[in-house]
Amino acid sequence: MGKIRILDEDTVRKIAAGEVVERPASVVKELVENSIDASATKISVSVLSGGKKEIVVVDNGIGMDSEDAILAFERHATSKIRSARDLFGITTLGFRGEALASIGAVSKIDLTTRCEGCDVGVRVRVEAGKIVSSERVGCPVGTSIRVRDLFFNTPARRKYMKSDRTEFAHVASVLMERALAYPKINISLVHNGRVVFSAPPADDKVNIGYVLGMDVAKNMIEVSYINDVEITGFIAPPQFSRKSADWSFFIVNGRPIKNSSLLNALIEAYGGMIEKGRYPVAVLRINVAPESVDVNVHPTKIYVRFADERSVCRAISNAVREALSNADLRAKGEYIIKHLSVPQITGKDVGGEVRVEHETRPVMIEQKMLVEDKKVLDGAGMLSGAIYLGQLWNTYILLQAGDEFVLIDQHAAHERVRYESLKEAYRRGYIAQQLIEPIIITLRPNEFAILLEYSDKLKELGISIEEFGKNTVKVSAVPTIVGRVCGKDEIRAIIEDIIRIGKVDVETFADEVLKIAACHTAIRAGEKLDTARVAALVEEMNNTKNRFTCPHGRPAIIVFKKSELERMFRRRK
Ligand SMILES: Nc1ncnc2c1ncn2[C@@H]1O[C@H](COP(=O)(O)OP(=O)(O)OP(=O)(O)O)[C@@H](O)[C@H]1O
Ligand SMILES: [Mg+2]
């Protein structure tokens, strides 16, 4: 007898469901998209325990009659397309006729709905893919769906779900994306009985404010590029860039999607203005003819295939470049980081001491102090006999060291110094400093969930964070080294950066937090330094490992050999 068997219906259903429903956020995505397709103007989402226990989505859309309300749970049952031909011109978010069947296969559903023109509504109960009951009920026009006990009959999937907070963060992300794509729909989210997010109908920019925060929204630059491909939306100036790509939103014909080529085109358009490894904040709508984009690529419908992806990428690049060049970035006090072409990075650890023999500016008193103050000069190893020439644009320290011209990026160098000492302190067990006045920070819902998720790990790093009301946290302690040099606003900025680390393992997380703390406590570019400070920094560098780069890998020291300069000026061949 052969080995091949046809799988039973229950197994087939579960396999199919697995493709669509990965976690509570997938359920929320599918239900909200159904509400949008049903022309709802108000969609209220409410979840319990990150959506693991219960998800309720209520809309005021067109609703269903009693026949459709039952048919909706059949696999491949849809009102949105009729034949394969329709697949090449999809204008709705759904089209596979699989979402409700998939969700129903792995949960317990109550659906209550009434359509315009129906006297009475219907309530359908579904459990593990089977219709358990259906009855007539009185209810408003629209649809309300309650999904309970997700994956109750698929233990492997149930175990795979993460903590309530992590799952909730995903739910909030899904909702934020839809809220950005549909500013005219009133979308709200409640978690465990508390309103965490609400985006009433608004124009595009205000809507971005509701979702991403007004501080970002008010600085955003409009993009409007009307060509064969239409790109509209808003981008943030370079200094708002984030460590994660989660803040770059692409909406193709109303559908929020993920696409690495579009993301690369967006990053490239910023040119050297954004540091490597960081991502712009952007909400870009890409409108193309429905026939020129295939949405039937993946069961989750979050990827699409363009007939001509290169022209879409080109349009994004042009649109963003145009918007950036029209915006007067400098007038708003922004800085543009241009990538230096670095001839070579070298450095020598020769032992000896730093001597300040010459100063371009009249700082005689300081100089005298320096020479007398042995403490500053002792123990210096590198750059023996170096002459301090001064500071360039209050950003680079210029030294002449024998036959070498040395440029030190004061921020990069000090960042490395701070990072190494924070790392050492962490290794030995942090001494946290209680803040006299705790700092209260209000966050966006998904950030709030993420930060609380990290709170235990942060405690190990000397940062104490507690929940303090709706989307608000209280920071009561920070590592001593941070508390000593950072004010309230800087500590707030550190916390905001920590949220943006994204999904990483414990060690990487610790390391990233140390880098963030190092960056915020380091001397800044543009800061004027006195000679004593320069000498102290050089000495600190002498006692620091890996001093030739900052913790992010940017060069901290660049050395030009005299012979190189001579070659540049064609003094020698
Ligand atoms: N909130 C709703 N309001 C009105 N009709 C709905 C709603 N949700 C689902 N329906 C109806 O039920 C059908 C099945 O929904 P389901 O989500 O399973 O499939 P779909 O949206 O057509 O395709 P996809 O699987 O891609 O989401 C829909 O085509 C729609 O007619
Ligand atoms: Mg659907």
Side-chain angles (χ1 to χ4, degrees), residues 30 33-34 37 80 94-95 99 301:
E30 293 301 335
E33 292 195 342
N34 279 347
D37 281 346
K80 299 168 192 176
F95 57 89
K301 297 167 285 184

Side-chain angles (χ1 to χ4, degrees), residues 343-542:
Q344 135 193 63
I345 304 164
T346 54
K348 273 192 232 138
D349 201 345
V350 280
E353 58 179 27
V354 178
R355 233 177 314 135
V356 181
E357 292 179 345
H358 172 73
E359 241 287 10
T360 50
R361 276 165 284 130
V363 284
M364 297 311 289
I365 304 159
E366 280 170 13
Q367 242 172 285
K368 192 158 166 273
M369 212 177 69
L370 257 178
V371 175
E372 283 166 9
D373 186 354
K374 274 277 174 241
K375 244 170 69 194
V376 176
L377 295 175
D378 274 356
M382 183 180 56
L383 302 170
S384 158
I387 301 170
Y388 174 43
L389 303 173
Q391 228 183 335
L392 179 63
W393 304 311
N394 289 339
T395 299
Y396 306 102
I397 293 165
L398 309 184
L399 300 171
Q400 176 190 327
D403 263 2
E404 289 175 340
F405 171 45
V406 181
L407 282 134
I408 298 176
D409 179 321
Q410 63 193 43
H411 175 69
H414 199 218
E415 202 177 5
R416 168 61 74 182
V417 167
R418 286 283 190 209
Y419 170 73
E420 294 297 342
S421 64
L422 279 162
K423 210 157 84 169
E424 183 58 22
Y426 171 51
R427 210 178 50 77
R428 286 206 235 108
Y430 251 118
I431 311 158
Q433 175 186 329
Q434 291 295 323
L435 295 169
I436 300 163
E437 197 187 326
I439 297 171
I440 311 296
I441 305 177
T442 302
L443 300 159
R444 290 179 270 286
N446 63 332
E447 294 178 333
F448 177 70
I450 291 166
L451 190 62
L452 288 184
E453 186 68 22
Y454 290 157
S455 66
D456 285 349
K457 282 191 242 165
L458 287 172
K459 192 144 213 167
E460 281 173 38
L461 291 159
I463 304 174
S464 293
I465 279 166
E466 290 159 55
E467 191 169 347
F468 191 71
K470 184 180 146 196
N471 295 331
T472 304
V473 291
K474 182 169 90 175
V475 185
S476 51
V478 295
T480 312
I481 197 166
V482 174
R484 251 197 330 249
V485 289
C486 285
K488 203 169 153 177
D489 286 346
E490 263 169 328
I491 292 177
R492 186 189 301 265
I494 291 177
I495 299 295
E496 283 176 358
D497 273 357
I498 289 172
I499 293 166
R500 276 151 216 147
I501 294 175
K503 216 174 12 184
V504 286
D505 57 77
V506 182
E507 269 315 301
T508 318
F509 178 81
D511 201 49
E512 286 297 316
V513 173
L514 298 180
K515 282 182 191 164
I516 290 167
C519 180
H520 284 269
T521 54
I523 296 168
R524 306 207 169 276
E527 205 173 305
K528 193 168 173 351
L529 303 178
D530 61 28
T531 316
R533 192 78 189 85
V534 170
L537 173 61
V538 174
E539 173 156 9
E540 283 177 317
M541 288 172 73
N542 283 328

Side-chain angles (χ1 to χ4, degrees), residues 287-298:
N287 287 330
V288 290
E291 320 68 81
S292 68
V293 56
D294 185 0
V295 290
N296 186 26
V297 176
H298 192 267

Side-chain angles (χ1 to χ4, degrees), residues 51 63 141 153 166 198 230 264 269 300 306 363 395 426 454 495 551 568:
V141 171
N153 57 344
T166 302
S198 166
E230 196 183 290
N264 286 336
T300 57
F306 294 99
V363 284
T395 299
Y426 171 51
Y454 290 157
I495 299 295
M568 284 181 201

